[in-house]
Amino acid sequence: MKFGVVMFPGSNCDHDTYHVISKVIGQPVDFIWHRQSAVADCDAVILPGGFSYGDYLRTGAIARFSPVMGAVKEFASRGGLVMGICNGFQILCEAGLLPGALLRNKNLKFICDHVNIRVEATDTPFTNRCQRNQVLSVPIAHGDGNYFCDEQTLAELQRENRILFRYSDADGRITAEANPNGSLDNIAGICNRERNVLGMMPHPERASEQQLGSSDGRIIFYSVADTLAELAKAS
Amino acid sequence: MKAKIYVTLKPSVLDPQGKAIHHAVETIGYHGIKDVRQGKYFEVTIEDSFSPEEARAEIERMARDVLANPIIEDFRVELDSDS
């Protein structure tokens, strides 16, 4: 099993993510440079947080055209596990691997804060170790995290159970007050129809060790590692 | 040849920046401003060997693929030769 963490110019959570996978989860991990046109022997690819290409034009709009994104698309179409965190989520939306877009936060502020997210679905490679309605304390750090899509897409996401995380209060109640950025339906993370591509604004890699305030986020990486271990056993 | 490309948020998409500007100009004392929507503006220079039709086709393709995100934005292209 091997994880890959993509490095774009301006990524700044790449090393955090690498650290958590290698030292906390204890799995092999490699960096993938954005100019590479293959994801090599990686079994799960993570697009990390940051400000790829300085967020010029729109967040994720330039990174989407990096050579590596062709490989990531191809990898995803073969069923490979792809996870976009924060800027990674924005890139996946721009690339069309996930529906919708991340708009400027409703209050126009860059928000750096611990929030609670509720796990809405556990039948995915990213959440299979979670309990449904489990509340995770995970930080957010973004200026453009306000999830938007048209009504038809939202209905589809709801019907197909593709909203994996929603902003909630500490008791798991989905309220307007718990929504930090104005996201539609308190959406913090979604997956594609095939359930092998995840995008989420909160940073699980910043909440994977107790000395950083929360280790709730590591369950997501453990879920992916479990999935890959099972896939390896089956093949 | 030059092209001007205007990218604007779709009417259905909330524009908190436009709202903040609207609120600010009202506070400063400008009257009669009913609404403000913020967008993006690009000036692009195209090889003179392109015909206006070719230039427009290329610029519209670029606007659709790169400059605007069709999920949230509309765009409008003006060519210099239009004026």
Side-chain angles (χ1 to χ4, degrees), chain A residues 195-212:
Chain A
R195 304 182 99 68
N196 65 313
V197 178
L198 159 73
M200 63 188 297
M201 288 313 294
H203 286 272
E205 82 284 6
R206 294 189 191 179
S208 289
E209 291 157 289
Q210 202 51 53
Q211 68 249 46
L212 296 181

Side-chain angles (χ1 to χ4, degrees), chain B residues 6-7 9 13 18-20 26 36-37 41 48 51-52 55 61 64-65 70-71 74:
Chain B
Y6 301 85
V7 176
L9 282 173
V13 177
K19 275 212 162 32
E26 276 184 332
V36 178
R37 304 277 289 172
Y41 169 67
D48 289 332
S51 72
R61 199 161 65 87
R64 209 166 20 248
D65 289 351
I71 295 170
D74 295 320

Side-chain angles (χ1 to χ4, degrees), chain A residues 8 24 31 36 39 52 58 65 72-73 76 87 103 105 109 111 114 140 147 149 157 167 169 175 177 183 186 196 217:
Chain A
F8 295 101
V24 180
F31 285 120
Q36 281 177 229
V39 299
S52 57
R58 292 177 308 278
F65 295 103
V72 169
K73 272 190 178 175
N87 189 223
L103 301 175
N105 292 343
K109 290 184 175 130
I111 309 168
H114 267 273
I140 54 169
Y147 183 78
C149 61
L157 290 173
Y167 298 109
D169 67 14
T175 63
E177 294 72 39
S183 287
N186 282 45
N196 65 313

Side-chain angles (χ1 to χ4, degrees), chain A:
Chain A
M1 157 186 342
K2 193 194 272 178
F3 286 75
V5 177
V6 178
M7 296 173 106
F8 295 101
S11 294
N12 67 4
C13 301
D14 38 1
H15 285 273
D16 305 46
T17 308
Y18 185 100
H19 163 80
V20 166
I21 290 164
S22 63
K23 295 292 192 297
V24 180
I25 310 300
Q27 296 297 339
V29 52
D30 261 344
F31 285 120
I32 304 172
W33 186 235
H34 69 107
R35 284 190 191 280
Q36 281 177 229
S37 52
V39 299
D41 54 348
C42 294
D43 304 295
V45 172
I46 302 179
L47 309 186
F51 300 84
S52 57
Y53 297 89
D55 280 352
Y56 295 159
L57 191 58
R58 292 177 308 278
T59 56
I62 313 280
R64 170 197 158 195
F65 295 103
S66 283
V68 73
M69 285 309 294
V72 169
K73 272 190 178 175
E74 197 265 334
F75 177 71
S77 72
R78 284 191 280 119
L81 303 188
V82 177
M83 179 175 170
I85 301 168
C86 196
N87 189 223
F89 186 11
Q90 295 162 338
I91 296 168
L92 290 174
C93 286
E94 282 282 341
L97 283 166
L98 290 172
L102 282 314
L103 301 175
R104 183 61 46 92
N105 292 343
K106 201 172 174 186
N107 67 1
L108 295 174
K109 290 184 175 130
F110 186 98
I111 309 168
C112 187
D113 204 0
H114 267 273
V115 299
N116 295 297
I117 53 173
R118 192 175 80 180
V119 179
E120 302 290 299
T122 57
D123 59 338
T124 78
F126 313 100
T127 53
N128 54 32
R129 265 218 199 184
C130 307
Q131 303 290 321
R132 195 170 137 72
N133 293 331
Q134 182 175 356
V135 176
L136 309 176
S137 170
V138 179
I140 54 169
H142 59 243
D144 301 71
N146 178 357
Y147 183 78
F148 174 86
C149 61
D150 60 32
E151 278 177 30
Q152 196 189 335
T153 306
L154 179 63
E156 206 174 281
L157 290 173
Q158 290 165 336
R159 192 174 57 241
E160 296 173 358
N161 214 14
R162 287 164 54 192
I163 301 168
L164 303 192
F165 305 106
R166 293 167 81 200
Y167 298 109
S168 75
D169 67 14
D171 298 317
R173 282 184 295 258
I174 307 296
T175 63
E177 294 72 39
N179 186 342
N181 52 26
S183 287
L184 266 185
D185 204 25
N186 282 45
I187 288 176
I190 58 168
C191 68
N192 63 342
R193 183 168 286 143
E194 294 74 22
R195 304 182 99 68
N196 65 313
V197 178
L198 159 73
M200 63 188 297
M201 288 313 294
H203 286 272
E205 82 284 6
R206 294 189 191 179
S208 289
E209 291 157 289
Q210 202 51 53
Q211 68 249 46
L212 296 181
S214 167
S215 56
D216 288 0
R218 64 186 180 186
I219 196 166
I220 294 166
F221 300 109
Y222 276 129
S223 294
V224 175
D226 280 2
T227 306
L228 294 180
E230 264 170 47
L231 284 173
K233 222 190 296 170
S235 65

